[in-house]
Amino acid sequence: MSVVVQQSEPKKATARRRGLRTYLIALILVAVLPAVGAAGMSVWRAATAYRDASATRLLDTARTLARSVENELEGSAAILTTLATAPGPVRLDPGSATDDHKPAGKARGKSAASPAHQPDRGEKSDELPIWLDRLGGRLQGNIQLHTVSDLRAQAARSLPDGMLETALRDHRPTLSNLFVDHASQMPRVALAVPRSTAGAPPGQVLALVVPPQQLVRTLQTSPSQHSSLLVAVTDGTGHVVARTHEPERFVGRPVPDWAKLQALQADSGIFEAITTDGKPVIFGFQKLRGTPGWVVVAGESLELFNARWQQPLMAVAGGGTLALALALGLAAWLARTVLRPVQALAEHAQRLASDEGEDGRAPPPVAPSTIEEFESLRRSLATSEAVLRSRAAALAAGQRRYRRLAEAGALVLWRGDAACAVVAATGWQELTGQPNEDASGARWVRLVHPADQPQLIELREQLAAGGRLIDLECRVRTAQGLWRWVRMRGAPVADARGRIEEWVGVVEDIDERRQAQARIAHLAHHDAMTGLVNRMQFRECLDAAILRAGRGEQGAVLCLDLDRFKEVNDTLGHSVGDKLLCMVADRLRALVRETDTVARLGGDEFAIQQSNVNQPADAMQLAVRVVAELSAPYEINGEQAVIGASVGIVMVDGRDIDADGLLQNADLALYRAKEEGRGRCSFFDPNMNARMQARREMELSLRRAVIDQEFELHYQPLMDVRSLAVNGFEALLRWRRPGGGLLMPEAFLARAEDLGVIVPIGEWVLCEACAQATTWPAGLRVSVNLSAAQLRHRGLFAAVQRALAASGLPASSLELEITERALLERSDEILETLHRLRGLGVQITMGDFGTGHWSLGLLRSFPFNKVKIDRSFVRDLGLRKDGDAIVRGVSSLCDSLGLATSAEGVETAAQLQLLSAELCAEAQGFLFSEALPAVEIPALLATLQALAAARGRPSGIRA
Ligand code: C2E
């Protein structure tokens, strides 16, 4: 059986769910990204620092060189200023004006004046002092002296425009930008200084016009000349003044991107540019002080510059990337290490869920994990799996059992919705023969027996009131139209919040049980043999009748007892007796109405509860009919039996009485009827109670007498008819009742038999008689009477044995007298007991012979030694002819059977005379003695011995 677990989480929650892999990746990213960011930032900052350092280096180079150039220019300006301030007239070598390449020193000793700078007429040309000449040796160029008038002269055009005016106006050394010398058509630079010596005419300017590389020599000696570093000096118009690399080629040429540099509007800084040969470069620049915008630039190719800071950066970045890759790889490996057991556990759990019960095989186990928590989880899962599997196996076995039961039709498994409407029922068809669909919803209710419908209504009300249990026994109709008892049980299945989700339950087939219960109930309330209600049920009927009588509906109770039934039972046997009882029951049933009830109260006692009795005469009428009907002969097994019936009647008329009281009164009435004779009917009379009370008291007294040993024995002699010798004594029971005198057996013996106390009384008699007999002269026997109840009692033989053993009396001295009536019950057990007693040596006597339904067969089948002729026959001796004949016949019959005969109730000598003439050997009676207490026996024996001596003269006989 597969178990399907449904996802019950809301969709929203499911949508937000991510795999563990995603979370692990997120975890890695969260851990790595800040480091990567920090590393990137560091690299970026390092790169910036590298770049800034490189740029600063360039700028510093530019500044350093700028200071050198400035120093150099200042030096030149200082020399020229020195020249200009030299005292005396300036004497210039005219030839030097045309020779640009001649060093200034060569003009020493000559006047160096160009045609354009011929001194005015009013001016005096002075010669330069020697020391100045030496200083001027550094300046290889054309040193010219100009005057104010030169400003307007053409000669002054060898200088850039406005330079003289600027020098004169500012009265300080003035440097020009590059300009092309008219004469040589070469680029030149001019440095002008106003002459301000004492005695010199005003407005004179000493100007030095030189090729720019002579003025700026620093670059020629700079180490960068041979390095990758490019240094240049440009003038204020962006023309190259000096250059470390290929100056001859580039000096005088304009630099590219000059406008870009100008746009920076800074004295120093860094900027990128394109060289004249088109290569990208980066420069550090520094403007020169005291110049018309000259700039020193120091730079290198951009490629080289970038390479300088990018290479270490690339190394750092490469290292970082490698480290990152390693970290990511390691993290991925760790994530996989974590993920693998989780995935394995998840897959295992999924397989468990899907494979469970499919083929009964467990999915392969999950490999152990190196991670402690996962290993613990795996072990827990394995343990849980084992437990779940065993539970699932037990559950499956249980389900199989229930299903099998359902399939076998012994059990219906049903399921209902929250409202308890059946949605599925398995086994309904097998149980009822009706289709399973007929059980769905509330359709099954139609199949319930109408008498059980109120239970369903009650159940429905209970469930509506919140009842949570179904347990109902009812009958349902099968397909064959029969009613079958079932037990329906069910209980709700609630969710976690206690709301009923569904109902489940079973329907059991309890038909057999109910049938058995019905049978048991029937047996409990009915007599098994006749099918009539028994005493218990009859009592309930009486309770109902009493209730009805309280409402005015009068009734009657008839108790009846069968006359002579015991005789039929004893003579024809129990099976005939049983059939007779059944026939009696049938006749009674046929006599009464449906509303009446006939019961068998026990034995041959029956009762009728008659309903709707208007007057006592109605009850009497029924009683008379009952007597008449039951008295009609019965034909059983080819034999005819005739019995009668006596009926006691009590009216149920609303008087305060219960069922037992009614039965008791009906019994009293019956007792009265029987007392009146057979076939009589009597109504209950309240006076009957007094007699009954006396009987009850007798019962109680008897039971107490057994305990208190209030009994005693009197002994009557058994006389030899011919010799008048004493053969022995018959023990006769007496009850010395406290305050009641001495009671004879007739007064209590029958009641003692009824109550069963005759058995212990009889045992006492046996022991007492045997003990007493041992005190008599040897050879005397003692005769003890046995009742029918004693005879039936299984302990008789043992009781006799005990009495003999206890007294020491020889068994042959004991005679047991059994009445003919007691022997009518010819059971094998009684016969066997008597044989065993005979075997002991005990004498067996049949008493009261002739009073019962005796037969020859009775004499032959029982092991008697003697037959005692009843005193009713003895009484007729000499008075009636048939009396003599009976005694003679019995005596001769017994003689022929080898049995001795004895006569009781011999009261007269005539009777004794007649008996002696017959074959009767023994006699007892008042003629010899009445029964006397044991203490009187010795005297009696003496008297009787004297009688025997007298022989024929019954002297000493008590009257
Ligand atoms: P039963 O065995 O036939 O005893 C003889 C009865 O006849 C005695 O009556 C006795 O008193 C009486 N009887 C003796 N001679 C004469 C006579 O000449 N004329 C008249 N009219 N009666 C005479 P009892 O003692 O009242 O006993 C009555 C019956 O009670 C006995 O009849 C016997 O069946 C029974 N019975 C007495 N004692 C016992 C006993 O211990 N056990 C049992 N089961 N029955 C006993």
Side-chain angles (χ1 to χ4, degrees), residues 713 716 730-734 744-746 749 753 758 761-762 765 784-788 790 817 819 847-848 868 870-871 875 904-908 911 924-927 929-931:
L713 291 178
Q716 185 176 40
E730 179 180 4
L732 294 164
L733 187 62
R734 304 289 183 262
M744 302 303 280
E746 286 85 9
L749 212 56
E753 286 219 29
I758 190 65
I761 292 173
V765 170
V784 175
N785 288 282
L786 293 181
S787 70
Q790 276 180 281
E817 185 177 328
T819 60
D848 303 339
K868 192 184 271 187
D870 190 67
R871 65 172 174 270
R875 191 172 52 223
E904 65 178 8
V906 179
E907 293 180 355
T908 63
Q911 290 168 342
Q924 66 182 103
F926 294 160
L927 177 65
S929 172
E930 59 178 350

Side-chain angles (χ1 to χ4, degrees), residues 76 408 451 742:
S76 297
L742 195 67

